[in-house]
Amino acid sequence: MAVKFSVSNLDLYYGDFQALKNINIRMNENEVTAFIGPSGCGKSTLLKSLNRMNDLVEGCKITGTVLLDNVDIYKNMEITELRKNVGMVFQKPNPFPMSIYDNIAYGPRTHGIKRKSQLDEIVETSLKQASIWEEVKDRLKKSALGLSGGQQQRLCIARALAVKPEVILMDEPTSALDPISTMKIEELCFDLKKEYTIIIVTHNMQQATRISDKTAFFLHGEIVEFGETGQIFAMPKDKRTEDYITGRFG
Amino acid sequence: MKSSWKTFKAHPMSLVFFILVCAGVILTVGILFLVVAFVLIRGVPYLTPDLFALEYTSENCSMLPAIVSTIEMVGISLLVAVPLGVFCAIYLVEYAGKGNKLVKLIRVTTETLSGIPSIVYGLFGMLLFVRALGWGYSLLAGSFTVAIMILPLIIRSTEEALKAVDDSYREGSFGLGAGKLRTVFVIVLPSAMNGILAGIILAIGRVIGETAALMYTAGTVAAYPKSVFDSSRTLSLHMYSLSREGMHMNEAAATGVVLLIVVFLLNSFASFVAKKLKSKT
């Protein structure tokens, strides 16, 4: 399988605090890669440096290289271009306070698509891909804030899909949702990986085993172990991984 | 209430506190009620059609020209202060970095400005707009003076409104590849509209109620201003002039009633607009 993201020798500092230490990891196309580990281990931080959301954090300093399809995203890529290719779904569903339609159309409009017919089509396909079309097709003009939490999160996934990204980053997308909504989103990940590369941060180890192909275990800003999800959970090579997945800490 | 008697017996201090709280409520509402009642009782009997005659004469003391110039004054001052204030607040919240020295400076300045008595603004306006720029006692000089006066208020309320917008909206927008400008204007500003509007309404209230600063800058001519360079008195100033002359206390009281009604209408309008905006999102 082709490598989508390749991170090498990445160090990341928030002021004096080193949040990531010498990260080396490769993520493949059309796979789901899960980042697991206890709070504050740096998994979300690494996720955010993949579409440069860390640029918004003051005092954040990054060294090393991150290649997306062999292009250095910190040196040779426009940030808008990067974020168009690498979409993000956040921990808390964050639909904009506008209609469902406008939420989805926001991204394409940002990138210059103005034709109504084209937007209509994008909205419909994105909502269908996020399997929420049936629930909202009669209320596209209604506020997105009226949806339930799980629907909002799927709407946010649809919103991310609308700009036709290649990679979708998900930062604990189900941590604020009920079990049924969680299940729907997990199924969605499974469908989406046929066309997209998915990288997901999760607190929930069962979730990682259910949906991911590869898993990376983080501790204190380092990747302790990275490999096939089956292998990580069945036969971890590192003692610390074993302790974590068997619930001895974290 | 019945159960609270037991509580009061067990904790006598809570009874004292309860009485203090009640007294606070009764006094506040009572005073407000008294003021409104006084103005109405004193003024309503003198609300004659004469007071709304098209032209002002010293017999009819019409306030129609004053109403018109009040509206114009509010319009011009908002036209100056709202864009300036809102843009300034956008800079402070969205663009300036956290430890920025300029931000601190602007904050100290706006705080100081909002504490200055309005008569000082009047003096400044007279020296700058009326004399130095040669606008004379005029609607324009008055408008600019009150515009400066309400600027800190608008900056402050807009700043608070922008800060109250959930950061996750900004993240979501940036995450889709939108730039700062688009994020601010399409996502953040509409979400903050309620708070900004509330600030603007407060500012309008201050303009309508202003007298001291306008005496020095807009003058007290009681006719319609033919251009922005004409002197004209606003409603509050009209009321002040009437009562200062001592001959028209009743007309002044009637003007007070109209002012009260204007303020009431303004507030209702504001909450109506706020509700409309809220239901839209």
Side-chain angles (χ1 to χ4, degrees):
Chain A
M1 260 188 208
V3 174
K4 196 76 196 168
F5 257 121
S6 162
V7 179
S8 22
N9 306 321
L10 183 101
D11 287 299
L12 186 146
Y13 300 84
Y14 290 132
D16 293 332
F17 173 71
Q18 185 168 8
L20 291 175
K21 293 166 199 159
N22 194 27
I23 301 290
N24 290 285
I25 187 171
R26 286 162 167 221
M27 284 149 283
N28 290 339
E29 215 164 22
N30 303 106
E31 277 189 355
V32 177
T33 306
F35 292 174
I36 62 167
S39 303
C41 66
K43 54 194 192 304
S44 284
T45 303
L46 179 60
L47 192 79
K48 283 182 189 151
S49 47
L50 296 179
N51 73 341
R52 296 184 58 180
M53 287 305 267
N54 277 327
D55 289 17
L56 303 175
V57 181
E58 244 161 286
C60 177
K61 208 169 68 220
I62 297 175
T63 59
T65 52
V66 181
L67 305 181
L68 171 66
D69 291 325
N70 284 319
V71 180
D72 190 322
I73 64 166
Y74 282 90
K75 290 202 182 89
N76 301 322
M77 199 182 280
E78 277 293 315
I79 201 156
T80 45
E81 187 61 23
L82 168 70
R83 290 186 184 151
K84 187 177 170 302
N85 288 324
V86 184
M88 187 153 196
V89 177
F90 299 85
Q91 189 166 2
K92 218 181 91 213
N94 60 346
F96 301 132
M98 41 174 90
S99 74
I100 293 170
Y101 184 97
D102 288 337
N103 258 283
I104 308 294
Y106 182 80
R109 279 175 179 149
T110 301
H111 299 288
I113 296 174
K114 292 207 177 74
R115 262 217 343 269
K116 176 90 170 54
S117 57
Q118 205 179 346
L119 284 173
D120 286 349
E121 192 208 305
I122 292 175
V123 169
E124 185 173 338
T125 13
S126 312
L127 288 169
K128 274 181 179 158
Q129 276 184 303
S131 53
I132 188 178
W133 172 251
E134 286 304 319
E135 292 157 69
V136 299
K137 65 178 178 196
D138 301 321
R139 48 196 280 209
L140 293 177
K141 296 284 164 206
K142 294 260 171 65
S143 167
L145 301 182
L147 298 173
S148 75
Q151 288 173 323
Q152 287 189 1
Q153 193 62 301
R154 275 179 289 147
L155 182 81
C156 291
I157 293 175
R159 189 176 66 187
L161 296 176
V163 294
K164 305 199 164 54
E166 294 164 13
V167 183
I168 302 166
L169 309 176
M170 298 187 175
D171 190 0
E172 300 189 35
T174 60
S175 65
L177 304 182
D178 61 275
I180 292 173
S181 305
T182 300
M183 202 178 70
K184 282 190 182 154
I185 287 186
E186 288 180 5
E187 283 167 5
L188 195 57
C189 286
F190 205 79
D191 292 337
L192 288 175
K193 79 170 181 183
K194 287 169 209 145
E195 287 176 60
Y196 304 91
T197 305
I198 296 176
I199 303 167
I200 182 168
V201 166
T202 177
H203 250 111
N204 181 333
M205 280 176 278
Q206 280 75 37
Q207 185 167 63
T209 56
R210 280 194 298 264
I211 63 174
S212 69
D213 302 292
K214 299 264 175 66
T215 296
F217 171 60
F218 286 69
L219 194 63
H220 306 311
E222 287 172 279
I223 294 182
V224 173
E225 196 168 344
F226 175 55
E228 300 286 335
T229 300
Q231 174 258 312
I232 293 265
F233 282 94
M235 291 171 290
K237 292 192 184 108
D238 196 291
K239 181 78 173 58
R240 290 168 294 178
T241 317
E242 190 185 340
D243 286 349
Y244 182 71
I245 60 174
T246 52
R248 247 167 261 173
F249 73 95
Chain B
M1 284 317 290
K2 268 176 199 159
S3 65
S4 38
W5 280 117
K6 264 186 201 158
T7 327
F8 290 152
K9 243 180 209 162
H11 308 280
M13 272 316 282
S14 69
L15 179 65
V16 175
F17 186 68
F18 182 71
I19 290 169
L20 278 175
V21 172
C22 285
V25 172
I26 292 165
L27 271 175
T28 312
V29 177
I31 289 169
L32 195 69
F33 179 77
L34 259 177
V35 170
V36 174
F38 176 79
V39 173
L40 288 181
I41 292 168
R42 189 72 183 68
V44 169
Y46 301 97
L47 271 178
T48 54
D50 257 7
L51 277 176
F52 299 97
L54 279 179
E55 290 296 330
Y56 172 91
T57 62
S58 46
E59 275 87 54
N60 66 14
C61 296
S62 167
M63 64 175 101
L64 206 60
I67 292 178
V68 171
S69 72
T70 305
I71 294 170
E72 290 180 0
M73 181 82 67
V74 168
I76 299 173
S77 56
L78 288 186
L79 222 57
V80 176
V82 169
L84 265 179
V86 169
F87 285 143
C88 182
I90 290 177
Y91 173 77
L92 289 179
V93 179
E94 307 289 335
Y95 285 88
K98 258 180 204 130
N100 196 321
K101 288 236 169 70
L102 191 63
V103 174
K104 273 186 200 145
L105 186 74
I106 295 175
R107 210 152 277 160
V108 170
T109 314
T110 51
E111 257 156 42
T112 314
L113 281 176
S114 57
I116 292 178
S118 62
I119 196 150
V120 178
Y121 282 99
L123 205 63
F124 169 79
M126 183 174 75
L127 293 176
L128 179 65
F129 300 122
V130 177
R131 298 240 175 104
L133 294 177
W135 293 351
Y137 288 109
S138 62
L139 201 59
L140 200 63
S143 300
F144 271 70
T145 307
V146 287
I148 297 175
M149 213 175 75
I150 59 175
L151 202 54
L153 185 72
I154 290 177
I155 293 176
R156 244 323 164 53
S157 55
T158 308
E159 213 187 328
E160 292 306 319
L162 291 175
K163 274 194 208 151
V165 174
D166 203 331
D167 258 342
S168 71
Y169 291 162
R170 295 185 181 87
E171 277 186 345
S173 175
F174 290 136
L176 288 165
K180 197 133 209 174
L181 201 67
R182 186 166 163 80
T183 304
V184 169
F185 279 90
V186 184
I187 303 292
V188 179
L189 264 188
S191 311
M193 205 42 104
N194 265 344
I196 297 174
L197 219 68
I200 292 175
I201 300 296
L202 276 179
I204 294 176
R206 275 196 76 179
V207 175
I208 291 179
E210 189 48 52
T211 49
L214 292 177
M215 258 187 280
Y216 288 122
T217 52
T220 53
V221 171
Y224 296 106
K226 288 189 191 64
S227 81
V228 289
F229 291 107
D230 274 353
S231 163
S232 183
R233 50 163 85 151
T234 62
L235 256 187
S236 297
L237 209 51
H238 178 68
M239 186 175 164
Y240 167 79
S241 303
L242 288 180
S243 54
R244 185 189 50 182
E245 286 157 11
M247 313 257 297
H248 302 286
M249 286 313 282
N250 298 334
E251 285 81 358
T255 311
V257 175
V258 174
L259 260 176
L260 210 65
I261 294 170
V262 168
V263 170
F264 176 75
L265 285 179
L266 201 72
N267 279 343
S268 323
F269 176 70
S271 53
F272 171 75
V273 172
K275 232 181 237 162
K276 261 274 141 81
L277 282 175
K278 215 168 223 167
S279 67
K280 238 179 97 184
T281 52

